[in-house]
Amino acid sequence: MPTRRDLANAVRALSMDAVQAANSGHPGAPMGMADIAEVLWNDFMRHNPKNPQWPDRDRFVLSNGHGSMLLYSLLHLSGYALPIEELKNFRQLHSKTPGHPEYGYAPGVETTTGPLGQGISNAVGMALAEKTLAAQFNRDGHSIVDHFTYLFLGDGCLMEGISHEACSLAGTHQLGKLIGFYDDNGISIDGEVEGWFTDDTPKRFEAYGWQVIPAVDGHDAEAIKQAVEAARADTTRPTLICCKTVIGFGSPNKAGTSGVHGAALGADEVKAAREQLGWSHPAFEIPEAIGQGWNATDRGAACEHSWQQQFDQYQTAHPELAAEFERRMSGALPADFAEHAQQYIEQCQQNAESPATRKASQNCLDAYGPKLPELLGGSADLAGSNNTIWNGSVPITAGDAAGNYFYYGVREFGMSAMMNGMTLHGGFIPYGATFLVFMEYARNAVRMAALMRQRVIFVYTHDSIGLGEDGPTHQPIEQLTNLRTTPNMSTWRPCDSVESAVAWKAALEKADGPSSLIFTRQGLPHQARESQQVAAIERGGYVLHDVPQPDVILIATGSEVGLAMQAATQLSETGIAARVVSMPCTEVFDAQDVAYKESVLPSNVTARVAVEAAHVDFWYKYVGLNGKVVGMRSFGESAPAEQLYDLFGITVAAVSEAAKSVLAN
């Protein structure tokens, strides 16, 4: 009968063997946290290795993702479809065991981690999703949503500012089913952290409203078990278990040093560690008894079976709720959503209203929201400016989590990473808003949403120099290019209510990646369209105004579409025939077939002008090097919007002159 230490040593052995085989990786954290992981996964984790998507499973997040071999070892040992060959291929091309945990590669990996601190925020989002979903669906005698989110984190995670944003909210919202294990080993890449990290972490988390269990020996299984039991017993506060560990535990010459953090131990040290740990088995070999001690397939199947019995009873008592729960966890939209949305789009065209597109966005929420109880909105303390609260918005509070609107406070980064966690949890389509320029604060979380192909909707208002008097600190210039060049991201910048309605529909229907919706502060004119033009909006770019034989093509988005339309009229008065192309989403347009793109931007019309109140460089791929781009080449200034457009030459006259210039070449 293997001891707990024997079971933990299996994780240590697999981790140091895989890193050694790759001659690359981080053995220190897996070896240091193995005892903690053994207790958690063998005594407490509710999961089914044969069904990693079981809705009521506990979630496990490895925020210190450089220690990925810890997670891969746990998945392999407990019975997930991650064979030993994949561990032998650690960090190799096309393996399921990349250097950091990547969502979608290996079953059981709940989120992509690596950028330190983001796993923490993902976990907070998951815990909030669990609490909110439980409040929405559980009924007396029926708790179909009832699971924990477990989180491993290190010093580096806590040094990242995003950890404050998310953990503060976790305490405020009393996320009592969130349990974090702090790997307090005193070592980071540069050495002993006491030279740059002297925070009183227990007091910090107590101030957030967390239960803190300090000074737990991270190599004492019984002490760890008692700490987890105490954490689970307090469901009104999240818990941080502070575990004192030795990085690289078992390595006789490198344990407790930065030398074991991010490099293979070396063949001699691996041999010495085996001797010190009493692990006499060859590389990647797990004795049968230890394998049986870890295997969780029977236990996992029993857990899911018990839950399924509960769900069957719930289904009998509340059939409509049960069907809605299954729909939402599957990620499918209501069957009639597309038809409903199309009717609203056509209504917008008929109404011919000319609001700011941020207001048009709010109108979309009023139209689509009643059909979509899975919508979970929020704003980084800018709800009144972002227009993210709609008629059906109900605040989520610590005492009542059944709502659909979350007040994030001034936490753009934390908000965005938490939304990723909510989506990964399942049951929700989150949207969160700030000013476009402050996307920069959240940039890495936005990137992670795209990397993981998650349906997260980022709402960005005040999209250009058009916001006016707040000045260059608040006026985005380069951010649109940043978003548009992000793989898997769809960035929509609509020109009126109709395009706004299409953008929201597209974002909600896109299940394989995030969307950024870019809206104005200022009012924009409604554009007249035929039905086929309305239908073409969803293709990302379309001909808004046409002539029998265009001399020049004007391309525009958002607030500048109106300028382009006026310029086309002005040019026609001088005998120049101008086609106007509205391109609300360049990524979607680029994905269209060649014939359609040629019909919009015919290759025989080389005289082209793009206009957008953003950085000019992005648009040369459409206008060519001989084309002209009317836009921004500098930061903005503080002044009323009309003055700024004149100052920076983003005017009807400038577009007309640019058109004449390209025709003259």
Side-chain angles (χ1 to χ4, degrees):
M1 183 75 175
T3 65
R4 306 205 77 146
R5 178 58 54 82
D6 292 333
L7 295 173
N9 285 345
V11 173
R12 294 187 171 100
L14 288 174
S15 297
M16 63 183 181
D17 288 344
V19 173
Q20 187 63 33
N23 196 29
S24 173
H26 299 75
M31 296 174 74
M33 299 191 80
D35 296 303
I36 307 168
E38 189 277 323
V39 172
L40 176 64
W41 279 64
N42 285 326
D43 287 14
F44 297 100
M45 276 281 291
R46 290 173 67 254
H47 62 116
N48 185 0
K50 300 304 181 185
N51 183 14
Q53 296 305 309
W54 168 35
D56 202 41
R57 68 191 181 278
D58 290 336
R59 272 61 169 182
F60 177 80
V61 176
L62 182 70
S63 189
N64 46 340
H66 54 270
S68 58
M69 269 310 305
L70 173 68
L71 178 55
Y72 300 146
S73 300
L74 293 169
L75 294 173
H76 169 73
L77 290 166
S78 57
Y80 285 80
L82 191 66
I84 196 67
E85 288 74 23
E86 292 292 347
L87 274 63
K88 293 178 180 179
N89 286 327
F90 177 56
R91 288 187 163 226
Q92 304 310 299
L93 183 63
H94 301 316
S95 77
K96 294 182 179 180
T97 52
H100 292 81
E102 302 284 351
Y103 178 81
Y105 283 58
V109 175
E110 299 282 4
T111 181
T112 297
T113 56
L116 294 177
Q118 289 219 50
I120 291 175
S121 306
N122 292 167
V124 173
M126 292 175 183
L128 178 67
E130 190 274 343
K131 185 175 181 178
T132 299
L133 203 66
Q136 292 178 353
F137 281 97
N138 289 352
R139 295 295 183 268
D140 289 344
H142 300 281
S143 295
I144 63 165
V145 181
D146 186 9
H147 54 265
F148 285 84
T149 300
Y150 296 108
L151 165 69
F152 277 17
L153 64 144
D155 294 306
C157 296
L158 293 178
M159 285 185 252
E160 292 285 0
I162 192 174
S163 69
H164 165 71
E165 296 184 25
C167 293
S168 170
L169 276 172
T172 297
H173 279 265
Q174 300 174 8
L175 301 182
K177 291 182 180 174
L178 173 63
I179 299 174
F181 296 82
Y182 167 34
D183 183 28
D184 185 10
N185 59 35
I187 297 292
S188 67
I189 293 176
D190 282 351
E192 297 181 4
V193 301
E194 62 183 13
W196 50 86
F197 185 58
T198 59
D199 300 14
D200 190 329
T201 297
K203 287 184 179 178
R204 171 185 165 185
F205 276 77
E206 286 172 359
Y208 292 152
W210 288 52
Q211 174 186 206
V212 177
I213 303 175
V216 175
D217 184 346
H219 303 297
D220 183 334
E222 185 57 35
I224 298 164
K225 184 177 181 179
Q226 290 177 9
V228 179
E229 289 171 343
R232 287 167 56 93
D234 188 343
T235 57
T236 64
R237 295 180 294 173
T239 298
L240 184 70
I241 302 173
C242 300
C243 301
K244 295 296 292 186
T245 65
V246 177
I247 190 171
F249 182 94
S251 172
N253 301 301
K254 295 185 178 182
T257 72
S258 59
V260 77
H261 181 279
L265 296 182
D268 291 343
E269 189 66 11
V270 169
K271 181 181 178 182
R274 275 179 151 74
E275 293 174 357
Q276 180 154 311
L277 293 168
W279 187 267
S280 58
H281 317 289
F284 296 106
E285 185 175 303
I286 302 297
E288 183 178 356
I290 289 178
Q292 290 176 349
W294 270 105
N295 195 296
T297 54
D298 290 344
R299 185 171 70 250
C303 283
E304 183 175 356
H305 179 69
S306 176
W307 177 85
Q308 188 61 54
Q309 288 180 316
Q310 296 177 49
F311 187 79
D312 291 344
Q313 295 171 6
Y314 177 81
Q315 197 168 36
T316 301
H318 306 283
E320 292 183 0
L321 277 174
E324 183 70 356
F325 178 81
E326 291 181 320
R327 179 190 71 79
R328 284 176 56 174
M329 293 305 293
S330 76
L333 297 178
D336 61 346
F337 173 75
E339 181 182 357
H340 174 80
Q342 193 57 42
Q343 289 174 351
Y344 178 68
I345 292 166
E346 293 169 1
Q347 179 187 325
C348 288
Q349 188 63 45
Q350 293 169 6
N351 291 346
E353 296 174 343
S354 299
T357 52
R358 61 171 174 164
K359 176 60 180 175
S361 169
Q362 186 178 48
N363 293 341
C364 291
L365 289 168
D366 282 332
Y368 298 158
K371 284 282 184 183
L372 299 171
E374 57 264 52
L375 274 181
L376 202 166
S379 169
D381 203 48
L382 288 168
S385 295
N386 299 146
N387 288 11
T388 46
I389 295 175
W390 58 284
N391 290 333
S393 292
V394 178
I396 295 170
T397 66
D400 185 359
N404 60 4
Y405 193 87
F406 193 79
Y407 288 90
Y408 290 96
V410 188
R411 297 179 176 93
E412 297 90 353
F413 197 2
M415 173 183 73
S416 303
M418 284 174 62
M419 290 196 295
N420 291 345
M422 296 170 194
T423 307
L424 289 160
H425 178 277
F428 295 99
I429 300 176
Y431 68 91
T434 186
F435 291 173
L436 175 56
V437 75
F438 299 133
M439 177 277 292
E440 299 287 356
Y441 279 135
R443 171 60 191 159
N444 200 246
V446 175
R447 184 177 189 268
M448 297 294 282
L451 185 62
M452 294 188 285
R453 293 182 173 272
Q454 292 301 296
R455 180 164 47 190
V456 181
I457 301 175
F458 301 104
V459 177
Y460 298 124
T461 70
H462 296 59
D463 69 344
S464 70
I465 58 171
L467 71 87
E469 292 87 346
D470 281 340
T473 61
H474 285 53
Q475 293 165 4
I477 303 298
E478 70 276 27
Q479 285 70 28
L480 276 169
T481 297
N482 191 321
L483 291 167
R484 286 169 176 154
T485 54
T486 301
N488 308 326
M489 174 71 74
S490 294
T491 301
W492 291 83
R493 187 172 185 247
C495 75
D496 63 4
S497 292
V498 182
E499 288 190 358
S500 297
V502 173
W504 263 106
K505 177 177 181 288
L508 290 162
E509 291 180 338
K510 183 180 179 180
D512 61 350
S515 299
S516 293
L517 306 182
I518 315 298
F519 299 120
T520 64
R521 178 191 185 191
Q522 71 273 28
L524 300 183
H526 171 78
Q527 299 299 329
R529 299 175 183 86
E530 302 293 334
S531 58
Q532 66 269 25
Q533 291 173 299
V534 174
I537 296 172
E538 67 181 20
R539 305 188 76 165
Y542 65 102
V543 179
L544 178 62
H545 169 74
D546 210 5
V547 290
Q549 181 56 53
D551 299 311
V552 63
I553 299 175
L554 310 179
I555 308 168
T557 78
S559 48
E560 287 68 64
V561 169
L563 289 181
M565 291 291 286
Q566 293 179 60
T569 300
Q570 191 176 89
L571 288 167
S572 70
E573 295 170 354
T574 65
I576 297 173
R579 167 181 286 187
V580 177
V581 171
S582 177
M583 198 173 289
C585 186
T586 62
E587 303 92 327
V588 171
F589 178 77
D590 289 347
Q592 301 303 306
D593 60 80
V594 172
Y596 179 77
K597 288 187 286 188
E598 178 68 17
S599 73
V600 176
L601 297 175
S603 52
N604 65 336
V605 184
T606 59
R608 300 179 183 184
V609 176
V611 53
E612 186 176 61
H615 202 283
V616 298
D617 281 2
F618 174 83
W619 288 100
Y620 286 102
K621 71 174 183 174
Y622 297 110
V623 303
L625 294 179
N626 294 321
K628 297 288 186 181
V629 184
V630 177
M632 297 294 296
R633 290 176 170 81
S634 68
F635 294 115
E637 293 286 352
S638 177
E642 317 82 64
Q643 296 178 25
L644 293 174
Y645 273 84
D646 287 339
L647 175 67
F648 292 106
I650 306 174
T651 62
V652 174
V655 176
S656 296
E657 288 304 311
K660 294 173 183 176
S661 174
V662 295
L663 285 168
N665 288 341

